[in-house]
Amino acid sequence: MEQVKNNTLYIGGVSTKKLAEQYGTPLYIYDQDSIEKRIEAFKTNFRSEQFATQIVYASKAFLCKAMAALVEKHKLGMDVVSSGELYIASQSGFDMKNIVFHGNNKSREELQMAIDQRIGTIVLDNIAEARELAKFKMKEDMDVLLRINPGVEAHTHQYIVTAHIDSKFGVLKTEIKTIKEIVQIIESNPNLHFKGFHAHIGSQIFDRNAFKAEIETMGQFVSEMKQEMKRDFPTLDLGGGFAALYTNEDKPIPINEVCAVIIEQCESINTQFQLNLKKILIEPGRSIVAEAGYSLYTIGFTKDTPHKKYIFVDGGMSDNIRPALYQAKYRADIANKMNDQKDQEVCIAGKCCESGDLLIEKITLPEAQQDDLLVMYTTGAYGYSMASTYNALRIPAVVFVKNGKDSLVVHRQTYEELISKDEGEIL
Ligand SMILES: Cc1ncc(COP(=O)(O)O)c(C=O)c1O
């Protein structure tokens, strides 16, 4: 929860000034309560009497051991896409049965690790992977899903049907022969159990109809496969993509509503196509962590050009690549001048050696001075997880705040850590 006291922003009951003094900047701050409320909102609303449901947190949005522990505390599943994410989950004490392992190019080493870690579910992406996986000897059973490209693609406010047939992800829904072969390959290994299909149509989706179109398409597809193979496919995984509020123009579908839309549509296809579905999964990432996360920077120099006023901060595209990568828009405030009049139109620029390192192109803020604090809102998803050490800027620390308390969950990368992999030998 955000509050303003003495002209200063408090997050989760903790002063941003105090956090900057204690941990330094740039700093990623997560309101733990806000994450937990969103998780609970999904859990409460994503329920059906017709089938079991599971919320699988897409850890690519934000992952560290504390986040994995939080996901475990609330008994969600977790989607990982690499041996690195798998390792972080395993090191946090996460129940590996609740792992769903994705990825279009899992290596043999990653498959072996998934088997050794006894994960619950793997999502195959193509037939080559099915062949590779079926060769492994394993002691435990594993559920298998196959990622399908349903030909429905959503980009924020729009969605397109029969688009993007050349996606690198999944098998096209029309490739029935290949899909049948994949099912047969998987079932040739007694420890592998082919349960059903997965689809994911995009990210930051605002349009209810995009999800409806995805589910309708998948319903028809599963029905076709049932007839083709004379068997049931009891599990359907619908991926993530639920939007978050970045700017005041954004109108994300509230969690309870998007859950209701999905459940209703799944129940409808289940009846209409007599699918006999037993379990539905969704994989929210951004919608759980984005709005719970904040980036705190210290303002350095300012600069006036003929047409612009720049405010420079002590981070940039290295801790938040999204503005440079996707022209993502953000809200911000001067965290120690929350009630001051906003009368300066400025551009917030980072300190990386790229002209494109602009965090916010245009925003109206109070007059900024050196050593003021800039807070950017909704930076909890794909910020830390996409951070780099470009220009050898060190990865910022991550702090969780809740009920007036703060906890350092990832320390700021040290200079020693920055060169810890660097052998320094020349030939
Ligand atoms: C397969 C899959 N599931 C879930 C997600 C999470 O999406 P979001 O963070 O938009 O909810 C992604 C994101 O790329 C994905 O590829």
Side-chain angles (χ1 to χ4, degrees):
M1 201 185 54
E2 293 158 21
Q3 286 168 301
V4 176
K5 288 192 233 168
N6 304 325
N7 213 10
T8 299
L9 178 69
Y10 281 61
I11 303 167
V14 185
S15 154
T16 48
K17 260 193 215 167
K18 185 208 109 131
L19 290 171
E21 275 161 24
Q22 191 172 343
Y23 301 110
T25 58
L27 184 66
Y28 297 108
I29 304 166
Y30 282 85
D31 180 343
Q32 188 180 320
D33 219 27
S34 163
I35 300 179
E36 296 191 89
K37 283 201 173 107
R38 279 160 224 276
I39 290 178
E40 282 307 315
F42 272 111
K43 280 179 74 176
T44 316
N45 292 289
F46 196 65
R47 288 205 175 135
S48 165
E49 287 181 359
Q50 283 191 21
F51 33 71
T53 52
Q54 192 181 13
I55 316 288
V56 179
Y57 169 64
S59 69
K60 67 207 81 180
F62 168 60
L63 182 63
C64 59
K65 288 198 292 179
M67 184 63 204
L70 206 52
V71 177
E72 175 66 22
K73 175 181 162 193
H74 290 269
K75 294 284 164 221
L76 261 55
M78 193 149 73
D79 147 3
V80 300
V81 295
S82 71
S83 48
E85 289 182 349
L86 204 53
Y87 181 74
I88 296 173
S90 72
Q91 292 300 301
S92 74
F94 194 81
D95 181 351
M96 301 306 274
K97 279 270 157 266
N98 290 327
I99 290 283
V100 177
F101 191 16
H102 280 276
N104 65 305
N105 189 26
K106 303 176 196 79
S107 66
R108 286 188 199 98
E109 181 207 351
E110 287 178 312
L111 293 175
Q112 185 64 61
M113 189 166 168
I115 291 164
D116 294 344
Q117 291 286 347
R118 297 164 191 230
I119 66 153
T121 306
I122 189 160
V123 183
L124 299 177
D125 218 84
N126 52 58
I127 191 161
E129 188 186 8
R131 291 196 183 107
E132 200 75 51
L133 180 67
K135 284 187 215 155
F136 282 87
K137 289 208 173 26
M138 43 188 97
K139 293 198 181 83
E140 298 272 324
D141 288 357
M142 196 187 280
D143 287 348
V144 180
L145 302 177
L146 173 65
R147 181 163 180 168
I148 296 295
N149 175 355
V152 179
E153 197 194 353
H155 288 296
T156 56
H157 293 282
Q158 291 171 326
Y159 78 94
I160 317 163
V161 182
T162 65
H164 213 40
I165 55 170
D166 297 316
S167 167
K168 77 169 187 173
F169 292 113
V171 180
L172 260 183
K173 69 172 199 279
T174 45
E175 291 182 61
I176 302 289
K177 198 167 150 276
T178 307
I179 298 167
K180 279 170 80 171
E181 202 179 331
I182 290 173
V183 177
Q184 282 152 2
I185 292 168
I186 290 306
E187 304 257 277
S188 68
N189 182 322
N191 290 108
L192 295 175
H193 304 287
F194 194 92
K195 294 284 176 164
F197 301 98
H198 167 277
H200 170 81
I201 57 166
S203 206
Q204 189 63 354
I205 301 170
F206 292 93
D207 186 351
R208 290 163 176 74
N209 292 327
F211 294 112
K212 286 188 183 173
E214 175 194 13
I215 298 166
E216 176 69 24
T217 306
M218 288 305 285
Q220 266 172 23
F221 164 76
V222 176
S223 157
E224 217 178 300
M225 288 309 302
K226 254 173 76 97
Q227 279 162 29
E228 279 281 340
M229 298 200 75
K230 309 271 176 290
R231 53 162 285 172
D232 279 348
F233 296 99
T235 305
L236 182 60
D237 182 341
L238 295 160
F242 316 110
L245 184 148
Y246 286 89
T247 69
N248 294 327
E249 284 78 59
D250 292 338
K251 301 277 176 282
I253 318 167
I255 290 174
N256 60 337
E257 281 178 37
V258 79
C259 288
V261 166
I262 292 174
I263 292 287
E264 206 182 300
Q265 192 74 2
C266 285
E267 288 178 349
S268 153
I269 57 160
N270 199 28
T271 314
Q272 184 189 348
F273 299 111
Q274 298 182 346
L275 297 182
N276 204 13
L277 290 171
K278 296 277 185 268
K279 192 172 176 188
I280 305 287
L281 289 77
I282 48 170
E283 300 169 340
R286 183 193 309 276
S287 50
I288 288 182
V289 287
E291 289 172 49
Y294 302 76
S295 301
L296 191 64
Y297 302 98
T298 301
I299 294 172
F301 304 128
T302 56
K303 172 179 171 170
D304 291 302
T305 64
H307 304 109
K308 262 189 177 170
K309 187 175 184 64
Y310 282 104
I311 290 181
F312 299 149
V313 294
D314 56 354
M317 64 194 295
S318 49
D319 60 79
N320 187 355
I321 189 75
R322 296 189 69 256
L325 194 60
Y326 311 121
Q327 290 73 53
K329 305 276 181 287
Y330 286 92
R331 290 169 301 132
D333 273 312
I334 298 187
N336 55 308
K337 292 183 173 170
M338 292 298 286
N339 297 324
D340 287 15
Q341 182 147 14
K342 297 182 178 180
D343 52 10
Q344 308 271 312
E345 192 171 279
V346 294
C347 171
I348 316 259
K351 63 182 276 131
C352 295
C353 286
E354 283 286 330
S355 302
D357 179 26
L358 305 177
L359 288 172
I360 302 182
E361 280 265 358
K362 203 191 270 186
I363 185 165
T364 310
L365 291 176
E367 170 130 35
Q369 261 120 26
Q370 194 173 16
D371 299 329
D372 279 343
L373 295 172
L374 185 100
V375 62
M376 266 173 66
Y377 300 96
T378 319
T379 60
Y382 306 103
Y384 174 76
S385 62
M386 286 189 168
S388 74
T389 54
Y390 178 52
N391 291 157
L393 296 187
R394 294 169 296 146
I395 308 278
V398 183
V399 170
F400 278 16
V401 289
K402 180 174 170 165
N403 297 335
K405 295 199 183 109
D406 51 85
S407 162
L408 180 67
V409 300
V410 182
H411 69 239
R412 183 176 310 281
Q413 192 174 30
T414 62
Y415 289 115
E416 293 73 33
E417 285 164 345
L418 191 64
I419 58 161
S420 63
K421 304 185 295 303
D422 191 336
E423 304 294 346
E425 297 293 324
I426 57 168
L427 286 173

